[in-house]
Amino acid sequence: MERTLVIIKPDALSKKIVGKVITTFEEEGFKIVAFKMVLLSREKAEEFYAEHKGKEFYEPLVNFMSSNPCVVMVLEGENIAQKVRDIAGNTDPQKAGEGTLRKLYAQDNRHNIVHAADSLESAEREVKFFFSENEIHHWEERIYKK
Ligand code: CMP
């Protein structure tokens, strides 16, 4: 089954909308299989965003992502990486579609609430960056009343 990594960024914590972001994913029916809160060191943030090294937004991005904790999670499902990207919306909230997380909550293209892996290959690499296999849970969905 396909898995993807989501980072709920420090701006979402400050705005107290972590719950809303998670609710959005749950209401879409996405399955959470791993979840934790992390404070990225500067070095870890640099490593995570290494592909952007040299771009003008790299340093401020690394500063922001290591400034306060993030919530990281793994979601599992069919075509999940694309589905999460669709819900996140365009990196730039001004270009993001109506109803997307970034359109609803993001201030600008740095403080943009969530990171979602941009391909299946990135998703696999990013899941491993934050989680060991024994932190990723295999659980069965069951039906409960109420
Ligand atoms: P994310 O999905 O975390 O992946 C790379 C990040 O770089 C992106 O979200 C943005 O937060 C940031 N980013 C990309 N382009 C720009 C830009 N032009 N200016 C500022 N930040 C950017």
Side-chain angles (χ1 to χ4, degrees), residues 9 49 52 56-57 61 91 102 109-112 114-116:
K9 296 187 178 186
Y49 284 115
H52 297 298
E56 98 286 346
F57 62 81
L61 173 66
T91 306
R102 286 163 171 165
N109 56 7
R110 176 172 319 123
H111 311 98
N112 65 352
V114 288
H115 165 82

Short mmCIF file of all heavy atoms in Angstrom, two decimals, residues 9 49 52 56-57 61 91 102 109-112 114-116, ligand 1:
data_model
loop_
_atom_site.label_atom_id
_atom_site.label_comp_id
_atom_site.label_asym_id
_atom_site.label_seq_id
_atom_site.Cartn_x
_atom_site.Cartn_y
_atom_site.Cartn_z
N LYS A 9 3.55 22.14 9.69
CA LYS A 9 4.68 23.04 9.94
C LYS A 9 4.46 23.92 11.17
O LYS A 9 3.34 24.04 11.67
CB LYS A 9 4.90 23.91 8.68
CG LYS A 9 5.30 23.11 7.44
CD LYS A 9 5.68 24.04 6.30
CE LYS A 9 6.12 23.25 5.08
NZ LYS A 9 6.61 24.12 3.99
N TYR A 49 15.73 19.49 3.26
CA TYR A 49 15.47 20.36 2.11
C TYR A 49 16.70 20.52 1.21
O TYR A 49 16.79 21.50 0.46
CB TYR A 49 14.97 21.72 2.59
CG TYR A 49 13.52 21.70 3.06
CD1 TYR A 49 13.17 21.93 4.38
CD2 TYR A 49 12.49 21.46 2.15
CE1 TYR A 49 11.84 21.91 4.80
CE2 TYR A 49 11.16 21.44 2.55
CZ TYR A 49 10.84 21.66 3.88
OH TYR A 49 9.53 21.64 4.27
N HIS A 52 16.89 21.94 -2.31
CA HIS A 52 16.67 23.37 -2.56
C HIS A 52 17.88 24.23 -2.22
O HIS A 52 17.82 25.45 -2.34
CB HIS A 52 15.46 23.86 -1.75
CG HIS A 52 14.18 23.18 -2.15
ND1 HIS A 52 13.65 23.29 -3.41
CD2 HIS A 52 13.35 22.37 -1.44
CE1 HIS A 52 12.54 22.57 -3.48
NE2 HIS A 52 12.33 22.00 -2.30
N GLU A 56 17.12 30.93 -3.41
CA GLU A 56 17.09 32.12 -2.52
C GLU A 56 16.21 31.89 -1.29
O GLU A 56 16.43 32.51 -0.26
CB GLU A 56 16.73 33.38 -3.34
CG GLU A 56 15.29 33.85 -3.32
CD GLU A 56 14.34 32.99 -4.13
OE1 GLU A 56 14.75 32.15 -4.97
OE2 GLU A 56 13.12 33.18 -3.90
N PHE A 57 15.27 30.95 -1.38
CA PHE A 57 14.39 30.73 -0.23
C PHE A 57 14.91 29.65 0.73
O PHE A 57 14.29 29.41 1.77
CB PHE A 57 12.96 30.38 -0.69
CG PHE A 57 12.85 29.11 -1.50
CD1 PHE A 57 12.81 27.87 -0.88
CD2 PHE A 57 12.76 29.16 -2.89
CE1 PHE A 57 12.69 26.70 -1.62
CE2 PHE A 57 12.65 28.00 -3.65
CZ PHE A 57 12.61 26.76 -3.00
N LEU A 61 13.85 29.20 4.70
CA LEU A 61 13.03 27.98 4.86
C LEU A 61 13.60 27.12 5.99
O LEU A 61 12.85 26.66 6.87
CB LEU A 61 13.01 27.20 3.54
CG LEU A 61 12.35 25.83 3.56
CD1 LEU A 61 10.85 25.93 3.84
CD2 LEU A 61 12.57 25.11 2.22
N THR A 91 1.89 25.43 -3.47
CA THR A 91 2.84 25.96 -2.48
C THR A 91 2.52 27.42 -2.12
O THR A 91 2.62 27.82 -0.96
CB THR A 91 4.28 25.92 -3.07
OG1 THR A 91 4.53 24.59 -3.50
CG2 THR A 91 5.32 26.33 -2.06
N ARG A 102 -3.75 25.18 2.14
CA ARG A 102 -2.94 26.39 2.01
C ARG A 102 -3.79 27.60 1.68
O ARG A 102 -3.53 28.70 2.15
CB ARG A 102 -1.84 26.15 0.98
CG ARG A 102 -0.74 25.24 1.55
CD ARG A 102 0.11 24.67 0.49
NE ARG A 102 1.29 23.99 1.00
CZ ARG A 102 2.02 23.17 0.26
NH1 ARG A 102 1.68 22.94 -1.00
NH2 ARG A 102 3.07 22.56 0.78
N ASN A 109 4.22 31.60 0.79
CA ASN A 109 4.75 30.32 0.32
C ASN A 109 5.85 29.72 1.20
O ASN A 109 6.29 28.62 0.96
CB ASN A 109 5.18 30.37 -1.16
CG ASN A 109 6.18 31.45 -1.44
OD1 ASN A 109 6.66 32.09 -0.51
ND2 ASN A 109 6.47 31.68 -2.71
N ARG A 110 6.27 30.43 2.23
CA ARG A 110 7.16 29.81 3.23
C ARG A 110 6.34 29.29 4.40
O ARG A 110 6.49 28.15 4.81
CB ARG A 110 8.21 30.81 3.72
CG ARG A 110 9.08 30.22 4.83
CD ARG A 110 10.25 31.13 5.17
NE ARG A 110 10.82 31.70 3.96
CZ ARG A 110 10.93 33.02 3.73
NH1 ARG A 110 10.55 33.89 4.64
NH2 ARG A 110 11.44 33.45 2.59
N HIS A 111 5.48 30.13 4.90
CA HIS A 111 4.64 29.77 6.05
C HIS A 111 3.36 29.18 5.47
O HIS A 111 2.32 29.84 5.39
CB HIS A 111 4.36 31.01 6.91
CG HIS A 111 5.63 31.76 7.22
ND1 HIS A 111 6.03 32.86 6.52
CD2 HIS A 111 6.59 31.51 8.15
CE1 HIS A 111 7.19 33.29 7.00
NE2 HIS A 111 7.56 32.49 7.99
N ASN A 112 3.48 27.92 5.01
CA ASN A 112 2.37 27.37 4.22
C ASN A 112 1.78 26.08 4.81
O ASN A 112 1.34 25.19 4.11
CB ASN A 112 2.80 27.18 2.75
CG ASN A 112 3.89 26.17 2.56
OD1 ASN A 112 4.46 25.68 3.53
ND2 ASN A 112 4.16 25.81 1.32
N VAL A 114 1.60 23.08 5.63
CA VAL A 114 1.96 21.66 5.50
C VAL A 114 3.04 21.46 4.44
O VAL A 114 3.14 22.25 3.50
CB VAL A 114 0.75 20.76 5.11
CG1 VAL A 114 -0.20 20.59 6.25
CG2 VAL A 114 0.05 21.25 3.86
N HIS A 115 3.79 20.41 4.63
CA HIS A 115 4.63 19.88 3.55
C HIS A 115 4.04 18.54 3.17
O HIS A 115 3.71 17.73 4.05
CB HIS A 115 6.07 19.68 4.04
CG HIS A 115 6.86 18.81 3.10
ND1 HIS A 115 7.45 19.31 1.96
CD2 HIS A 115 7.10 17.48 3.11
CE1 HIS A 115 8.03 18.30 1.32
NE2 HIS A 115 7.83 17.18 1.99
N ALA A 116 3.91 18.30 1.88
CA ALA A 116 3.46 16.99 1.41
C ALA A 116 4.46 16.52 0.37
O ALA A 116 4.88 17.30 -0.49
CB ALA A 116 2.08 17.11 0.79
P1 CMP B 1 7.38 22.35 1.02
O1 CMP B 1 6.25 21.54 0.50
O2 CMP B 1 7.75 22.20 2.44
O3 CMP B 1 8.67 22.09 0.11
C1 CMP B 1 9.64 23.04 -0.15
C2 CMP B 1 9.31 24.34 0.51
O4 CMP B 1 10.07 25.44 0.08
C3 CMP B 1 7.88 24.73 0.18
O5 CMP B 1 6.99 23.88 0.83
C4 CMP B 1 7.86 26.16 0.62
O6 CMP B 1 7.61 26.31 2.00
C5 CMP B 1 9.25 26.59 0.28
N1 CMP B 1 9.25 27.38 -0.93
C6 CMP B 1 9.13 26.94 -2.18
N2 CMP B 1 9.20 27.96 -3.06
C7 CMP B 1 9.36 29.07 -2.30
C8 CMP B 1 9.50 30.44 -2.61
N3 CMP B 1 9.49 30.87 -3.88
N4 CMP B 1 9.66 31.30 -1.60
C9 CMP B 1 9.68 30.87 -0.31
N5 CMP B 1 9.55 29.57 0.04
C10 CMP B 1 9.40 28.70 -0.95
#
